[in-house]
Amino acid sequence: MPKKMSAEKLLENSDFVRAQIEPGSVNSDERRVAILVSTETPVRRYDWYSGQYYEEVLLHGEENVDLTRASTAKLRWMHGSGQYGELPIGKLENVTLTNRQLRAEAVFSLANPDADMFWRMVEEGTLTEISVGGSKQENRVTERDGSIALVEVTRWAFHEASLVDIGADPSAGIGRSENQKKGETVNEQLEALRRQLEEMTKQGADSAAIERKNQEIQVAMTALADENKELKRVAGIRDLVAAKPGVMADDEVNRFIGDKTKNADDLARAMLDAATSTQTEVPFQRGEDTPQVYVIGQQNRGDLIRAIGDSLIMRAGLNVADVHKDVDMFRGASMIEIARMVTGYSGYDKNETIKRAMSTSDFPTLLGNVANRVLSQAYDEEMGTFDAWTTAVDVADFKTRTEVSLDRFGGRLRKLTETGEKKNKETKESAEQWRLFSFGEKIRITREMLINDDLGAFEGIILGFGQMAKRTANGQVYDLLQGKGDFANYLMGDGKAVFHADHTNYTATGTALSIDALSVARTSVRRQKDASNVALNIAPKFLIVSPEKETLARQLITSEAALGQTNPGVVNPFRNSMDIIVESELSAAPWYLAAARRTLKVGYLQGTNRRPIVNEKSRDLSGVEYECVFDFGVFAEDYRGLYKNNGQ
């Protein structure tokens, strides 16, 4: 059972993040910007001590907020952590309580040179989020019937404000979150979370709380990886500048460092543009009857890349929605000609063209983007039936996941006594473990392929991979349904197969598909009970059959009269009652019923748009290697909405 929520424990995590720069308030002359610090808007939080969610409200009366430190409050970057240290980048003025809101003005320092960079990023809108540090001193906990507890912070102190790259969302921040103490690094936060997990395990916390703590650790690990990635990005830019002194002005280099979307490849391309800036036009001849195409300066680069990309997609035989108006200009261009246009190279030496194309990211990225679009369309167009009846979710990583199913709301509600006394409801806990797996192949475009203009082979492989990815997902789902392949020994959390006599969802002897057999199957699903032995009355939504049973299944589900009756007036009780799924992955005899939800669940890696993707793996002067990856997983969420008949 969860521990009782403690007002004292809730004060231990005293820092909080609730602020933003007010749009349109930037005063460039005074380097001043207005901040909405905090309001009384409720925030949903989680108490790791009690294992319960609660709703927190910071009260904003004069008796609630301690502004003792407001007159000396400073503005910092990331609360003084990172490479810019503890030195303030500005100060806070006019900290006031107005209409139960805390507001202030941030004034950027003229003496601290780092403040110049941050101010420019605020002016251009790159930095818009503020993290506000404070401490909670007193609160009031109110338990509410039918809802989570309300925690009102009745006394709290305002301390400081910091610019951050990602603001009030604690699960997405780099270097800070609502659980992170002032001045604490991400690595220190990660170690603290691991110690908390160890303590929770020793104290016998329930698996749901432990899983949530594991997820919080994963967020911190991601933040640490992001910090390391940022350090590597900046180091790469500085190394390139050191190797090519004098090519780029210092303010331009600083712009690349300040823009987190830029890396050393982008700087290398900019250096190449600077070195060839006297070239205003690069002609490309398509023939006597067609016009010339010119690459004219940096401002047209995005338009050029899109037109070329659309042309390459169409060369692969795929349709392009909202096709670029200039796509026909590039459909006959060779890969060498495209490389010349992308790099801005005015010469005709093929080896030099490829060298330039592989020295920056534009050309490999163009091919990678084309590959992803081809791959996505090929995946969508390939036939597959699993997504018509399974549930899909996005998963953050490849760790084994424990899907905890608490029968917290099983059974019926208890009648309250006259005094309103309520008893704690006993819960039973079950869990299903699963994870994502990566399926993939490596593909390489060589300089010989570019010289020979053999992009068709590359596109053919990509098309094939997209089709294979859909077949893989489809096959994995139906392998689990049939208990074969990777799932031959698959067991649910109770140690039994999905279809098992103890689950009352399996007719092992097998009966032919008929109205009587469907009636028995439907009754079996409707009679399923929850952990409190209360009937769930689940209605089957899908009839899943092999191609051999398709005709009979459609007759059973679509006929107005019941099959096998001499009297046509006998109504078919199953007419239009279920959707038919016909799948060639299934063995001929068995047939299945599935409910609309909580049957099989499939997962995809977050950020992949639930499709296979192409990533650049490596690149050198001999070519570029891509990795086609499909991240997918499947598990049985609940057996109660599934039924199997071995058929005849």
CSV table of all heavy atoms in Angstrom, one decimal, residues 109-130:
chain,number,residue,atom,x,y,z
A,109,SER,N,23.6,42.1,-18.2
A,109,SER,CA,24.9,42.9,-17.8
A,109,SER,C,25.6,43.4,-19.0
A,109,SER,O,25.7,42.8,-20.1
A,109,SER,CB,25.8,41.9,-17.0
A,109,SER,OG,27.0,42.5,-16.8
A,110,LEU,N,26.2,44.6,-18.9
A,110,LEU,CA,27.1,45.1,-19.9
A,110,LEU,C,28.5,44.7,-19.6
A,110,LEU,O,29.4,44.8,-20.5
A,110,LEU,CB,27.0,46.7,-19.9
A,110,LEU,CG,25.6,47.2,-20.3
A,110,LEU,CD1,25.6,48.7,-20.1
A,110,LEU,CD2,25.4,46.9,-21.8
A,111,ALA,N,28.8,44.4,-18.4
A,111,ALA,CA,30.2,44.0,-18.0
A,111,ALA,C,30.6,42.6,-18.3
A,111,ALA,O,31.8,42.3,-18.6
A,111,ALA,CB,30.4,44.3,-16.5
A,112,ASN,N,29.7,41.7,-18.2
A,112,ASN,CA,30.0,40.3,-18.5
A,112,ASN,C,29.9,40.0,-20.0
A,112,ASN,O,28.8,40.1,-20.6
A,112,ASN,CB,29.0,39.4,-17.7
A,112,ASN,CG,29.3,37.9,-17.8
A,112,ASN,OD1,30.2,37.5,-18.7
A,112,ASN,ND2,28.7,37.1,-17.0
A,113,PRO,N,31.0,39.7,-20.7
A,113,PRO,CA,30.9,39.5,-22.1
A,113,PRO,C,30.0,38.3,-22.5
A,113,PRO,O,29.5,38.3,-23.6
A,113,PRO,CB,32.4,39.2,-22.5
A,113,PRO,CG,33.1,38.8,-21.2
A,113,PRO,CD,32.4,39.5,-20.1
A,114,ASP,N,29.9,37.3,-21.6
A,114,ASP,CA,29.0,36.2,-22.0
A,114,ASP,C,27.5,36.7,-22.1
A,114,ASP,O,26.7,36.1,-22.9
A,114,ASP,CB,29.1,35.1,-20.9
A,114,ASP,CG,30.4,34.4,-20.9
A,114,ASP,OD1,31.0,34.4,-22.0
A,114,ASP,OD2,30.8,33.9,-19.9
A,115,ALA,N,27.2,37.7,-21.4
A,115,ALA,CA,25.8,38.2,-21.4
A,115,ALA,C,25.4,38.7,-22.8
A,115,ALA,O,24.3,38.7,-23.2
A,115,ALA,CB,25.6,39.3,-20.4
A,116,ASP,N,26.4,39.2,-23.6
A,116,ASP,CA,26.2,39.7,-24.9
A,116,ASP,C,25.6,38.6,-25.8
A,116,ASP,O,24.6,38.8,-26.5
A,116,ASP,CB,27.4,40.3,-25.6
A,116,ASP,CG,28.0,41.5,-24.8
A,116,ASP,OD1,27.2,42.2,-24.2
A,116,ASP,OD2,29.2,41.8,-24.9
A,117,MET,N,26.2,37.4,-25.7
A,117,MET,CA,25.7,36.3,-26.5
A,117,MET,C,24.3,35.9,-26.1
A,117,MET,O,23.4,35.8,-27.0
A,117,MET,CB,26.6,35.1,-26.4
A,117,MET,CG,26.2,33.9,-27.1
A,117,MET,SD,27.2,32.4,-26.8
A,117,MET,CE,27.0,32.2,-25.1
A,118,PHE,N,24.0,35.8,-24.8
A,118,PHE,CA,22.7,35.4,-24.4
A,118,PHE,C,21.7,36.5,-24.7
A,118,PHE,O,20.5,36.2,-25.1
A,118,PHE,CB,22.7,35.2,-22.9
A,118,PHE,CG,23.5,34.0,-22.5
A,118,PHE,CD1,24.6,34.1,-21.6
A,118,PHE,CD2,23.2,32.8,-23.0
A,118,PHE,CE1,25.3,33.0,-21.2
A,118,PHE,CE2,24.0,31.6,-22.6
A,118,PHE,CZ,25.0,31.8,-21.7
A,119,TRP,N,22.0,37.8,-24.6
A,119,TRP,CA,21.1,38.8,-25.0
A,119,TRP,C,20.7,38.7,-26.5
A,119,TRP,O,19.5,38.9,-26.8
A,119,TRP,CB,21.6,40.2,-24.7
A,119,TRP,CG,20.8,41.3,-25.2
A,119,TRP,CD1,21.0,42.2,-26.2
A,119,TRP,CD2,19.4,41.6,-24.7
A,119,TRP,NE1,19.9,43.0,-26.4
A,119,TRP,CE2,19.0,42.7,-25.5
A,119,TRP,CE3,18.6,41.1,-23.7
A,119,TRP,CZ2,17.7,43.2,-25.3
A,119,TRP,CZ3,17.4,41.6,-23.5
A,119,TRP,CH2,16.9,42.7,-24.3
A,120,ARG,N,21.7,38.5,-27.4
A,120,ARG,CA,21.4,38.4,-28.8
A,120,ARG,C,20.5,37.2,-29.1
A,120,ARG,O,19.6,37.3,-29.9
A,120,ARG,CB,22.7,38.2,-29.6
A,120,ARG,CG,23.5,39.5,-29.7
A,120,ARG,CD,24.5,39.5,-30.8
A,120,ARG,NE,25.5,38.4,-30.6
A,120,ARG,CZ,26.6,38.4,-29.9
A,120,ARG,NH1,26.9,39.6,-29.4
A,120,ARG,NH2,27.4,37.4,-29.8
A,121,MET,N,20.6,36.1,-28.3
A,121,MET,CA,19.8,35.0,-28.5
A,121,MET,C,18.4,35.2,-28.0
A,121,MET,O,17.4,34.7,-28.6
A,121,MET,CB,20.4,33.7,-27.8
A,121,MET,CG,21.7,33.3,-28.4
A,121,MET,SD,22.5,31.9,-27.5
A,121,MET,CE,21.5,30.6,-28.0
A,122,VAL,N,18.2,36.1,-27.0
A,122,VAL,CA,16.9,36.5,-26.5
A,122,VAL,C,16.2,37.4,-27.6
A,122,VAL,O,15.1,37.3,-27.9
A,122,VAL,CB,17.0,37.2,-25.2
A,122,VAL,CG1,15.6,37.9,-24.8
A,122,VAL,CG2,17.4,36.2,-24.1
A,123,GLU,N,17.0,38.3,-28.1
A,123,GLU,CA,16.5,39.3,-29.1
A,123,GLU,C,16.0,38.5,-30.4
A,123,GLU,O,14.9,38.9,-30.9
A,123,GLU,CB,17.6,40.2,-29.6
A,123,GLU,CG,17.8,41.4,-28.6
A,123,GLU,CD,18.7,42.4,-29.2
A,123,GLU,OE1,19.8,42.1,-29.7
A,123,GLU,OE2,18.4,43.6,-29.3
A,124,GLU,N,16.7,37.5,-30.8
A,124,GLU,CA,16.3,36.8,-32.0
A,124,GLU,C,15.3,35.7,-31.8
A,124,GLU,O,14.8,35.1,-32.7
A,124,GLU,CB,17.6,36.2,-32.7
A,124,GLU,CG,18.2,35.1,-31.9
A,124,GLU,CD,19.5,34.6,-32.6
A,124,GLU,OE1,20.0,35.3,-33.5
A,124,GLU,OE2,20.0,33.5,-32.2
A,125,GLY,N,15.0,35.5,-30.5
A,125,GLY,CA,13.9,34.5,-30.2
A,125,GLY,C,14.4,33.1,-30.0
A,125,GLY,O,13.6,32.2,-29.9
A,126,THR,N,15.7,32.9,-30.0
A,126,THR,CA,16.3,31.6,-29.8
A,126,THR,C,16.1,31.1,-28.4
A,126,THR,O,15.7,29.9,-28.1
A,126,THR,CB,17.8,31.5,-30.2
A,126,THR,OG1,17.9,31.9,-31.5
A,126,THR,CG2,18.3,30.1,-30.0
A,127,LEU,N,16.3,32.0,-27.4
A,127,LEU,CA,16.1,31.7,-26.0
A,127,LEU,C,14.8,32.4,-25.5
A,127,LEU,O,14.7,33.6,-25.6
A,127,LEU,CB,17.3,32.1,-25.1
A,127,LEU,CG,18.6,31.3,-25.3
A,127,LEU,CD1,19.7,31.9,-24.4
A,127,LEU,CD2,18.4,29.9,-24.9
A,128,THR,N,13.9,31.6,-25.1
A,128,THR,CA,12.6,32.2,-24.6
A,128,THR,C,12.1,31.7,-23.3
A,128,THR,O,11.1,32.1,-22.8
A,128,THR,CB,11.5,31.8,-25.6
A,128,THR,OG1,11.4,30.4,-25.7
A,128,THR,CG2,11.8,32.3,-27.0
A,129,GLU,N,12.9,30.7,-22.7
A,129,GLU,CA,12.4,30.1,-21.4
A,129,GLU,C,13.3,30.6,-20.2
A,129,GLU,O,14.5,30.8,-20.4
A,129,GLU,CB,12.5,28.6,-21.6
A,129,GLU,CG,11.7,28.0,-22.7
A,129,GLU,CD,10.2,28.3,-22.6
A,129,GLU,OE1,9.8,28.3,-21.5
A,129,GLU,OE2,9.6,28.4,-23.6
A,130,ILE,N,12.6,30.7,-19.1
A,130,ILE,CA,13.2,31.1,-17.9
A,130,ILE,C,13.0,30.0,-16.8
A,130,ILE,O,11.8,29.5,-16.7
A,130,ILE,CB,12.7,32.4,-17.4
A,130,ILE,CG1,13.1,33.6,-18.3
A,130,ILE,CG2,13.2,32.7,-15.9
A,130,ILE,CD1,14.5,33.9,-18.3
